[in-house]
Amino acid sequence: MQTLYVEGNSPMHRLSPRVKLLSLTAFAILLFITDNLLLLSGAVLVTAVLYGTIGLPPGDALRRLRPIFVTIAVVALFNFVFNPWQAALVPLLRLTALMLLAAAVTATTSITEFIDEVTALARPLERTGRVQADDIGLALGLVLRFVPDIVDRYRAIREAHRARGLKVRPTSLLAPLIILTLKDADNVAAAIDARGIRRHGS
Amino acid sequence: MSTRDLVLAALFAAIIVALGLLPPISLGFIPVPITAQSLGVMMAGVVLGARRGAIAVLIVLLLVAIGLPVLSGGRGGLAIFASPTAGFLVGWIFGAFVTGYLSERLVDDKQSGLVQTVSFFLAAMIGGVVVLYAFGITYLATAAGMGFPKAFLGSMAFIPGDVIKAFVAALLGRAVMVGYPLLPARA
């Protein structure tokens, strides 16, 4: 699976992930407080320039954001038809600026940095006794490890259906896929416990 | 949470991600392709129950947030949460939780197959449609500036597809209940 991280050494890359995530949160709050079209246009301009400096080729940079921008544009178009133009322009600018800054943070922060940051954020929750911060990294790792296996298994079940002349229907494919996959859970859990990976695990 | 519950949630998250890689499933009897990922959210509830189901969905959203293209069509990254439909994504967590909670309460293995299927369908409808749309429409109405009546009307176009998904989820919930029951052993 190709991550959306882009190698580079731009100013955005050098900022600490915590600063980037906190700034993104603060920026989102500010964007939703103001209705001023001038300020919002300025925000779009600044975030567009910022997104431009992270070192993605312009074609790729645009391609990444196309599906999100299309949804923003469709909703804005709908708003233009039914609401006064100011009311339609505000969310368009607001969400576009937010999208650009969020995309810049995603492109300049590696998966490892993100996982470390999320783990650090969850650390205080450990005191409630319900969350183990290290479990987050473990769970994410498990997902990435098993996705290719599941895709292979889906293909195998589909082929088995075809070979027997059965109709390939979602209900008949998904049930065995889910059952077979979840049956692995016991083995995986036993392996994790046997290696003592979750020291605090119960 | 036991290691087994953690692994179950992670494996189900992997199933939801894998469903996004597969081409949309066409149902045959109606010409609507099913984007399997939102079906995955209902399935997480009916198969794993409230807590594990919600955690499975949370793991998927965490993968999105850290920049992996795990949503259908290779979408991912924090920018997804800036889209006007982000309320539906956040609603996934609560949708899976409510679907799971209702499934745990309504379904037990002594019931007949029909009662189980109908109960799973109700759970998936309330969690995966009512709760999900409550979040999605609220965000669309406020943050995207659409206003409630229009956001509501605009979203209605997707309801028929989601009713079918709830039905498919109910059949799957019942099938897994027979083949490998996880729901009775609540997390």
Side-chain angles (χ1 to χ4, degrees):
Chain A
M1 204 174 296
Q2 193 73 43
T3 80
L4 296 170
Y5 174 69
V6 182
E7 294 278 346
N9 196 25
S10 73
M12 276 289 276
H13 279 89
R14 278 170 301 194
L15 273 178
S16 95
R18 184 163 307 180
V19 171
K20 278 185 277 193
L21 288 172
L22 288 176
S23 318
L24 181 61
T25 314
F27 185 70
I29 294 169
L30 288 177
L31 280 177
F32 278 94
I33 289 174
T34 178
D35 272 345
N36 186 319
L37 287 178
L38 217 60
L39 272 177
L40 289 172
S41 314
V44 172
L45 209 65
V46 170
T47 49
V49 170
L50 197 65
Y51 184 59
T53 60
I54 55 175
L56 263 176
D60 286 346
L62 292 177
R63 205 166 308 123
R64 271 179 183 216
L65 292 182
R66 198 165 47 198
I68 304 162
F69 189 72
V70 166
T71 6
I72 296 178
V74 166
V75 167
L77 206 66
F78 196 84
N79 278 342
F80 272 115
V81 176
F82 292 104
N83 293 327
W85 65 273
Q86 291 95 335
L89 209 52
V90 168
L92 174 69
L93 294 173
R94 194 182 267 161
L95 296 179
T96 306
L98 193 57
M99 169 188 81
L100 288 166
L101 187 65
V105 173
T106 297
T108 58
T109 313
S110 70
I111 300 292
T112 327
E113 283 178 319
F114 263 122
I115 293 179
D116 288 347
E117 204 50 47
V118 174
T119 310
L121 275 173
R123 199 68 72 191
L125 296 177
E126 284 187 345
R127 269 183 234 147
T128 63
R130 300 184 137 248
V131 183
Q132 287 296 326
D134 292 327
D135 285 351
I136 297 169
L138 177 62
L140 298 187
L142 279 172
V143 178
L144 299 179
R145 159 72 181 73
F146 278 96
V147 167
D149 286 358
I150 292 169
V151 172
D152 285 347
R153 183 169 277 160
Y154 178 86
R155 296 213 174 97
I157 296 170
R158 197 182 53 194
E159 291 315 308
H161 272 66
R162 289 218 176 110
R164 291 175 179 81
L166 296 173
K167 268 206 192 122
V168 179
R169 284 182 300 145
T171 38
S172 52
L173 287 192
L174 289 177
L177 179 72
I178 291 170
I179 293 172
L180 285 172
T181 303
L182 296 184
K183 273 190 175 167
D184 284 347
D186 287 321
N187 291 328
V188 176
I192 288 172
D193 284 338
R195 286 167 179 77
I197 291 171
R198 291 176 85 220
R199 266 157 295 151
H200 322 280
S202 46
Chain B
M1 192 163 53
S2 73
T3 306
R4 182 166 183 265
D5 286 336
L6 182 76
V7 174
L8 281 172
L11 288 187
F12 213 95
I15 292 176
I16 297 176
V17 172
L19 290 176
L21 300 174
L22 304 170
I25 302 164
S26 135
L27 271 178
F29 54 92
I30 35 140
V32 187
I34 296 276
T35 46
Q37 274 185 319
S38 54
L39 172 62
V41 173
M42 295 180 196
M43 293 192 317
V46 297
V47 171
L48 295 179
R51 194 146 165 257
R52 292 176 298 203
I55 290 171
V57 175
L58 196 62
I59 294 173
V60 175
L61 292 189
L62 198 55
L63 287 163
V64 173
I66 67 176
L68 285 159
V70 293
L71 293 180
S72 57
R75 291 169 306 137
L78 284 167
I80 294 284
F81 296 99
S83 102
T85 51
F88 288 95
L89 276 189
V90 175
W92 275 9
I93 304 166
F94 300 91
F97 186 88
V98 172
T99 303
Y101 180 85
L102 292 174
S103 302
E104 287 171 4
R105 291 291 170 290
L106 295 175
V107 182
D108 69 63
D109 42 12
K110 286 180 277 301
Q111 293 163 331
S112 73
L114 183 68
V115 176
Q116 285 182 349
T117 311
V118 171
S119 306
F120 276 134
F121 178 70
L122 275 178
M125 278 297 288
I126 295 172
V129 179
V130 178
V131 173
L132 177 66
Y133 277 73
F135 278 87
I137 290 175
T138 306
Y139 188 78
L140 201 55
T142 49
M146 236 185 192
F148 268 96
K150 276 154 204 138
F152 188 82
L153 277 179
S155 306
M156 283 306 113
F158 299 95
I159 293 274
D162 282 329
V163 173
I164 294 163
K165 283 177 208 172
F167 179 65
V168 174
L171 291 177
L172 283 165
R174 155 82 182 147
V176 178
M177 187 87 184
V178 172
Y180 191 63
L182 289 164
L183 210 50
R186 269 174 222 160

